[in-house]
Amino acid sequence: MTYVSKELIDKALALSTNQRVALVERLLESLDAPNPEINEIWAKESDARVLAYENKQVNSKPVSEVLKKYK
């Protein structure tokens, strides 16, 4: 883990609960930035899976059958 200054941590911990929640939300949002390259790869994969399903190249089960496994 990289070093984070004690001063920064102390300042963050001194914030109110609402301010800390807002800070955490903003930090998490910054980690979930869109990646066009990955989005394009997943779009192609999704299209390929739908096409395979429509052409009956993959087996499928009703969702009710799948969910029975987890009850």
Side-chain angles (χ1 to χ4, degrees), residues 50 57 68:
V50 169
Q57 296 171 329
K68 283 181 189 175

Side-chain angles (χ1 to χ4, degrees), residues 45-60:
E45 178 66 22
S46 175
D47 290 344
R49 290 181 186 195
V50 169
L51 188 59
Y53 173 78
E54 289 172 344
N55 290 328
K56 302 196 183 323
Q57 296 171 329
V58 293
N59 297 325
S60 63

Side-chain angles (χ1 to χ4, degrees), residues 14-48:
L15 297 171
S16 71
T17 300
N18 289 342
Q19 290 171 319
R20 289 195 318 266
V21 168
L23 176 60
V24 167
E25 287 176 345
R26 180 63 189 99
L27 290 170
L28 289 173
E29 286 172 5
S30 74
L31 295 174
D32 196 25
N35 183 323
E37 184 179 340
I38 291 174
N39 290 346
E40 185 177 337
I41 291 168
W42 272 115
K44 288 178 183 177
E45 178 66 22
S46 175
D47 290 344

